[in-house]
Amino acid sequence: MKRFITILLLFVAFQISAQTDAENLKKIYSNSLTNGMSYQWLDHLSNQIGGRLSGSLNAEKAVQYTKEEFEKLGLDKVWLQPVMVPRWVRGAPEFAYIETSPGVTTNVNICALGGSVATPNGGVKAKIIEVKTYKDLEALGVEKIRGKIVFINRPMQADLINTFEAYGGCSVERYAGAAEAAKYGAVGTIVRSLNLRLDDYPHTGSMGYGDLPLSQRIPSAAISTNDAELLSGMLALNKNLNFFFSQNCKQLPDVQSYNVIGEITGSEFPNEIIVVGGHLDSWDLGDGSHDDGAGVVQSMDVLRLLKESGIRPKRTIRAVLFMNEENGLRGGRKYAEVAKQKNENHVFALESDSGGFTPRGFSFQCNEAMLAKIQGWRSLFKPYLIHYFEEGYSGADISPLKDDTIVLAGLRPDSQRYFDHHHASNDTFEHVNKRELELGAASMTALIYLIDKYGTQTISNTEELRD
């Protein structure tokens, strides 16, 4: 009888708790959709500040703006965390053309890859050789590559539903292509933009040279998908084409910047920290609205929505706007380093860095028991069409926090249109839908609310009854 009463009481308590949770989630979504701030904040970041490449004046303007907005929310604590970041500048616009015969040229759309060296004064003109991947270079050898420009034409795999998987399969060409081609005597690399759509926008992104000496580094640029198709077609007809490109980028000394941090201190377990964040920096071609202005303003709105909904967290909720995710991850590494130095107890971290599109759910890095616990909340999210709760990647900036205890998560919006804009000049405010952005902010807040309420510890039903 005692066991039956205990089970009955637990069941009743669960029902009451579930009802309260449903009411609180409804309040969170309602506040976000009718009284949200994420879209207004993004408007300012995108249209009043613009692209925020780390080390730039715009990046520092974004630091000051978001700090001031945090302070307006009446949080328990707001501060800047210093971090040294790289400063790469693009310089004058890039220029490129295909030359079929002397004086007969076709202009194409390119952009320097982040971290690339400049071309020599006057640009580079040479024969061009096409490969599908830099691994093809070994079979060609030095004799066929020396003195040429290498064109790496690897399309993203279109039949993969997870577009981030398609991106991951190709991003190695962008990052390592120039360093590998230089080993065979190439004078430059042109890399197909990482974009599933055929258009005229070249997409930048980070690249690196590894341990290659400065004197051996060659310039590298991305070419739009339309022009990659054009160049490949022209090479099929004429292997003796010349390609010309000029870029004026430069790597300057590191400068000091900041992670921007705001928090609500926990009422019961202030030493248990829950992080939500996105990266404040962006590439310089567009204004960084999807990548990652959306994640920044959604993370800011998590704190505001908790306060607006009358929810007093038991644990400390900390929003972190990381600097320098795009070309260095210095902000994420610095945050984790300081957290370790202070012996802070981070129990959960959620990142939004997949655009401001319609949220579908979350991916988690945690043990099976914790994943099962989270999946038990699916019914609470069903009214908002949030259905994806699966094991998977969380995010770059929170990854340095990973240890044996913390649970990491990433917001998973619909990704089918994301790479149309990713790292390109059309990553701009008008391509973000207000309602989709606000749904993402509400979904993040709802998950944070549940994690805070129920914690990240898991126990079996038997243990629960024994207690």
Side-chain angles (χ1 to χ4, degrees), residues 186-384:
V187 296
T189 53
I190 299 296
V191 183
R192 183 189 181 102
S193 286
L194 301 184
N195 178 11
L196 284 158
R197 186 175 68 170
L198 289 175
D199 61 28
D200 296 321
Y201 298 105
H203 294 232
T204 192
S206 62
M207 56 84 63
Y209 295 103
D211 297 328
L212 203 64
L214 185 61
S215 61
Q216 296 179 28
R217 297 181 180 186
I218 60 175
S220 189
I223 187 170
S224 74
T225 49
N226 269 341
D227 288 328
E229 294 288 297
L230 173 66
L231 178 56
S232 182
M234 292 175 74
L235 281 168
L237 298 173
N238 179 5
K239 299 293 185 186
N240 292 313
L241 296 177
N242 281 318
F243 191 91
F244 170 87
F245 74 112
S246 174
Q247 56 191 42
N248 301 277
C249 41
K250 186 184 299 184
Q251 189 74 48
L252 300 173
D254 289 359
V255 298
Q256 182 171 286
S257 189
Y258 303 91
N259 294 327
V260 185
I261 306 173
E263 75 173 31
I264 300 171
T265 305
S267 59
E268 294 182 33
F269 311 108
N271 293 326
E272 293 187 17
I273 299 169
I274 293 173
V275 163
V276 58
H279 64 86
L280 191 52
D281 64 305
S282 76
W283 285 108
D284 56 321
L285 297 179
D287 59 45
S289 287
H290 277 298
D291 187 22
D292 183 29
V296 164
V297 298
Q298 286 171 333
S299 299
M300 294 169 69
D301 223 10
V302 167
L303 300 186
R304 192 194 67 86
L305 287 168
L306 288 172
K307 290 175 68 69
E308 190 77 14
S309 302
I311 298 167
R312 179 61 178 168
K314 297 192 292 184
R315 294 164 175 84
T316 293
I317 314 296
R318 185 180 290 176
V320 183
L321 314 182
F322 299 95
M323 184 56 70
N324 183 233
E325 186 272 346
E326 292 293 6
N327 60 335
L329 205 66
R330 302 272 187 91
R333 292 189 178 118
K334 174 57 73 172
Y335 180 81
E337 176 190 321
V338 173
K340 186 175 182 180
Q341 289 171 352
K342 293 183 175 181
N343 200 29
E344 291 181 332
N345 180 22
H346 285 71
V347 297
F348 183 79
L350 169 63
E351 184 167 338
S352 173
D353 187 16
S354 300
F357 299 101
T358 302
R360 299 300 189 201
F362 305 90
S363 54
F364 299 90
Q365 291 177 275
C366 60
N367 60 42
E368 290 183 7
M370 186 61 205
L371 183 59
K373 179 178 181 177
I374 292 167
Q375 288 174 335
W377 301 333
R378 275 177 166 160
S379 61
L380 292 168
F381 287 91
K382 185 177 179 181
Y384 311 103

Side-chain angles (χ1 to χ4, degrees), residues 431-460:
H431 294 291
V432 176
N433 178 277
K434 180 176 182 290
R435 187 171 179 84
E436 290 178 328
L437 183 74
E438 292 168 346
L439 283 168
S443 300
M444 292 165 67
T445 309
L447 180 63
I448 293 293
Y449 158 74
L450 291 167
I451 290 288
D452 172 65
K453 181 175 179 179
Y454 296 105
T456 56
Q457 300 300 311
T458 54
I459 56 176
S460 69

